[in-house]
Amino acid sequence: VAFKISTMKIAVIGQSLFGQEVYKELKNDGHTIVGVFTIPDKDGKADPLATEAEKDAVPVFKFPRWRLKGKSIPEVVDQYKAVGAELNVLPFCSQFIPMDVIDHPKHGSIIYHPSLLPRHRGASAINWTLIHGDKKGGFTVFWADDGLDTGPILLQRECDVEPDDTVNSIYKRFLFPEGVKGTVEAVRMIAAGTALKIIQPEEGATYECIQKKDNAKIDWNQPAEAIHNWIRGNDKVPGAWAEVDGQKLTFYGSTLVDNNPSTKGQPLEIPGAGRPGLVTKAGLVLFGNDDKALLVRNLQFEDGKMISAGQYFSMGSSAAVELTEEEKAFAVWKSILTNVEQVEDSTDFFKSGAASMDVVRLVEEVKLRASDLQLQNEDVYMATTFQEFIQMCVRKLRGEDGEEELVVDYVEKNVNNMTIRMPHQLFINGEYVDAEGGKTYKTINPTDGEPICDVSLAQISDVEKAVSAAKEAFDEGEWGKMNPRDRGRLMYRLADLMEQHQEELATIESIDSGAVYTLALKTHVGMSIQTFRYFAGWCDKIQGCTIPINQARPNRNITFTKKEPVGVCAIVIPWNYPLMMLAWKTAACLAAGNTVVLKPAQVTPLTALKFAELTVRAGFPKGVVNILPGSGFLVGQRLSDHPDIRKLGFTGSTEIGKQIMKSCAVSNVKKVSLELGGKSPLIIFSDCDLDKAVRMGMSSVFFNKGENCIAAGRLFVEESLHDTFVQRVVEEVKKMRIGDPLDRSTDHGPQNHKAHMDKLVEYANTGVKEGAKLICGGKQVGRPGFFFEPTVFTNVQDNMFIAKEESFGPIMIISKFKNGDVDGVLKRANDTEFGLASGVFTRDISKALYVSEKLKAGTVFVNTYNKTDVAAPFGGFKQSGFGKDLGQEALNEYLCTKAVTIEY
């Protein structure tokens, strides 16, 4: 009679990472693990299952054996029975468990087996699934009996076997993750009283021997597909082999090839084969008795050395490098990971029990064995599996340090006396990819209005992929495990690469945004480099504090705080400083340990995509940085709504900022920082240094063509100085050179895009209609491209549109105020819903301090303007937003504070 029970007392019998994961999931389901029975420690290191259980204070038993001379050991069985298990779960067990243990619990015992029983009973089930060329693989959870994998079936799950699957690939893709889920699901069915017991049919049942090196020799008298299956079924352990040139040669990395493989290559005689193999650049081509072909990528010699198969006849140092270093590293890994029976490509250094001191030992021992290898601790954290570690070592020895294999479909242009190479696809999970459906749009050069190139246009599904990649990188990847100091080293390396590519980045920025090249070089790119270097230095200085609390006497309590990364962050940036706005937010975000999905402005995506390339060259793990060119309506909105994003940083208009804030609140109350619109007042008193006030006043408005978030949106000039100031300003405006931003003599380039230029024309026309006096400019320049004349308005009254609204362009708005009326001009300056920046020019220090105190803005400049620095916090008041970029305060935007209280 079926009956329901919610939780059970379970004994977990087994070992390995698989057993560890099953144990953790059973605990999460609320079951009581009354005992863990696993293998003894090896060289002082516990099995991962034992390590996990010991952390939870679960009783752990490490019996060397359960039977002696074919009989149960009474003391061992008694210790097992004492825990009172109601069910035995054997997720992976290499020991022979006696039947008086198997049958003892009232619910019996269940076992995980990596094949679709009754097919492939025995210890090498995965190997034989591949050797037989099965099109379907999978696993079975069955009820243990006294036979060899013959008990009734409780649950089965199947998967497709890919043509080039190896034991490692199918295990990692399906048998491990789904096997854990399936084993836990089987326990749930038992708990619910719905578990099945399906008698295994004998029809189709197979039992194969354990695969060992001695019986893994290749039989060449069979079709190519059968040879391929034999090689991959023995890859990596025990390794399919054949005698070649008088020694055993082991074959790895087999793939089937077309019927007509390239015949270009050097013949290699293989005893027993119907025709010679061919050593080609791609590897070793082998032939079956059906004259069809397969390709083997790697070969291993009897002494353990491994080479690329294509280098068989090139036995010099370059050919032997990869295998020689693999052999050396293998020996070190094996000596450190004493609890791992076999070091394989997928073996993870840290998941196998290694700690920080083991990292130091690994680095130093490998360096002793390979003196030319420049290895650092951070390299181990960046390449945690054995395969990744070997590949990293080989890249370093070949002088490819810091560069992952990256496929980039560049758009190349010869411009500014150089060749610039521009990525134009989305950047997701460390790769450049097309948008869904291959959708693209044209990014336009504002200098001539002509397209630069087609850029991938991100869709909703692309956002999902990018967020998923960022989440996996944060939750499971090496980025979250990395020492903060090592994270800082990566950011320093990135800054160095940006500096090496400074001229190229500045040129791309210039043609994509219209920025004058000299300004792009110094500010757009130069400050971006400074920003990454500044925040790189903060990585290992983020810290909490200790707090005395008084909850009880005697006081044996302590509280401390931890600053932790938020998680996956979205960053949406504007078009006026494409690279610099990226740097201001992304550098702080990464320094805090987060991962990021960034949406550049649709009209200026190119430097962000080039930046993505440099993150790969610097060694950033996949998924940490993702770049999605696309529309704000589609991509920006989805980022605001996405439940897996925990923080969104935005720079743009107040109108869009409000919508983002609303979406972030409704979706998952994600953290938000907003840098929005501005109408920054600049007050110029008659006692100022006039030359400086004119020079800096010009800069406050016309810097970067007026496309500057802190631009002085309105100048208040004291009445006695007004006319002189206007005259001097107009003289300077007339000296400005308008032209090609790549020309070193140009002062004023094109506006960013046509819609913005049209808006400026309309803005100037509105000012004229309202009665403001247009002193100069106000029109589009009569040449190709999006050029707008530097413009000066005077006699601007407080109620006019141009006095209230931001132009975001090269338009100076001048109003006068009565002599000595400090409080009056302050009232007018603060009569705005914006509060991003402000300024004052006066020689009177008392007046300067008074005015700076009364101005309601996030930044106040005194006798200067536009002087931002990476160490100084930047952000607005009122409807100019909240939150800070730059400086130490910016880190808080990407961190959360956890309080931990301990009683001792």
Side-chain angles (χ1 to χ4, degrees), residues 65-74 77 96 98 100:
R65 62 184 64 84
W66 293 72
R67 302 192 315 166
L68 186 62
K69 295 181 180 181
K71 295 183 179 180
S72 303
I73 302 174
V77 174
F96 191 94
D100 42 356

Side-chain angles (χ1 to χ4, degrees), residues 27 53 113 115 127 231 293 305 345 357 553 556 582 597 636 655 682 767 772 819 875 892 897:
K27 288 275 290 184
H113 184 78
S115 79
N127 303 76
I231 293 173
K305 293 181 180 178
D345 281 355
M357 282 304 298
R553 293 184 183 279
R556 297 185 180 276
L582 176 153
V597 179
E655 179 184 5
L682 174 58
N819 294 331
N892 294 327
T897 303

Side-chain angles (χ1 to χ4, degrees), residues 217-236:
K217 186 176 181 180
I218 300 170
D219 176 8
W220 297 107
N221 189 27
Q222 53 184 334
E225 185 174 358
I227 297 172
H228 163 67
N229 287 337
W230 184 262
I231 293 173
R232 70 185 179 123
N234 287 281
D235 185 347
K236 290 286 190 182

Side-chain angles (χ1 to χ4, degrees), residues 487-512:
R487 189 164 68 238
R489 287 196 188 103
L490 283 183
M491 292 182 65
Y492 278 123
R493 189 181 299 165
L494 175 59
D496 290 343
L497 283 168
M498 292 171 70
E499 191 167 54
Q500 292 171 24
H501 290 262
Q502 189 165 1
E503 289 80 8
E504 183 182 23
L505 287 166
T507 302
I508 296 172
E509 189 96 331
S510 186
I511 67 171
D512 201 26

Side-chain angles (χ1 to χ4, degrees), residues 813-845:
I813 307 296
I814 303 176
S815 300
K816 66 176 69 172
F817 66 93
K818 294 180 179 179
N819 294 331
D821 188 9
V822 176
D823 289 327
V825 73
L826 278 169
K827 183 177 179 181
R828 295 171 67 192
N830 286 325
D831 187 19
T832 173
E833 276 300 302
F834 301 110
L836 189 57
S838 60
V840 55
F841 278 85
T842 177
R843 284 191 172 96
D844 185 337
I845 188 63

Side-chain angles (χ1 to χ4, degrees), residues 232-290:
R232 70 185 179 123
N234 287 281
D235 185 347
K236 290 286 190 182
V237 178
W241 61 275
E243 289 188 3
V244 180
D245 289 337
Q247 65 173 320
K248 282 185 179 179
L249 202 62
T250 304
F251 298 75
Y252 297 111
S254 174
T255 57
L256 289 170
V257 297
D258 296 335
N259 290 334
N260 297 308
S262 171
T263 57
K264 295 181 180 179
Q266 190 168 350
L268 176 64
E269 292 293 337
I270 301 175
R275 56 188 286 191
L278 286 176
V279 177
T280 70
K281 185 177 180 180
L284 174 59
V285 178
L286 301 170
F287 298 92
N289 60 11
D290 56 356

